Amino acid sequence: MDVAKVDKAAAKIQAGFRGYQVRKRLQQEKTVPKEDKTDEEEEEEGEHTDENKESLEDKSATKIQAGIRGYLVRKRQQTEQAAATKIQANFRGFRTRKLLKQSGQ
């Protein structure tokens, strides 16, 4: 089996599993009941909410950046693989022509 195909298959499996983990975690967060809180606790939580929003934004940005970087790496690998294949094909053609020329003399 081709290494590129194996890598693509592994990436798809990993992406699917990570998506499953995120969906499962979100589902668990929705089902956890919120306890009754005092006014002070709600105010304190409100202060932490801004930090959590920033944290969520940072995490989201990191995920997007990681996705883009992964895409760019895969695209570069595909380009390099195509270039290597062309070089190999050209060399094999050259070598075959050279061997045919030598055997014909």
Side-chain angles (χ1 to χ4, degrees):
M1 187 175 235
D2 188 30
V3 175
K5 288 182 182 179
V6 172
D7 287 347
K8 285 181 184 180
K12 281 199 178 263
I13 292 168
Q14 290 169 353
F17 182 72
R18 288 185 185 120
Y20 163 77
Q21 285 180 318
V22 170
R23 289 188 299 276
K24 187 176 178 182
R25 188 183 70 225
L26 289 174
Q27 187 65 28
Q28 287 175 347
E29 289 176 3
K30 286 181 183 178
T31 58
V32 173
K34 294 184 179 179
E35 300 173 11
D36 293 335
K37 297 179 181 163
T38 65
D39 291 337
E40 286 181 20
E41 289 175 335
E42 287 178 5
E43 287 178 17
E44 288 177 8
E45 188 174 294
E47 293 171 5
H48 295 298
T49 306
D50 292 336
E51 293 172 8
N52 289 340
K53 284 181 184 176
E54 289 177 26
S55 176
L56 178 62
E57 289 173 358
D58 290 342
K59 288 179 182 178
S60 299
T62 301
K63 289 238 182 231
I64 291 169
Q65 290 168 352
I68 298 258
R69 287 185 183 120
Y71 165 76
L72 292 173
V73 166
R74 288 189 299 276
K75 187 174 179 177
R76 188 182 71 227
Q77 285 176 339
Q78 287 176 344
T79 304
E80 290 173 357
Q81 182 67 36
T85 302
K86 279 188 174 185
I87 292 168
Q88 290 170 352
N90 285 333
F91 178 75
R92 287 180 183 137
F94 164 77
R95 187 179 61 193
T96 303
R97 288 187 296 276
K98 184 177 177 181
L99 291 173
L100 286 173
K101 188 175 181 181
Q102 287 177 353
S103 65
Q105 287 181 352

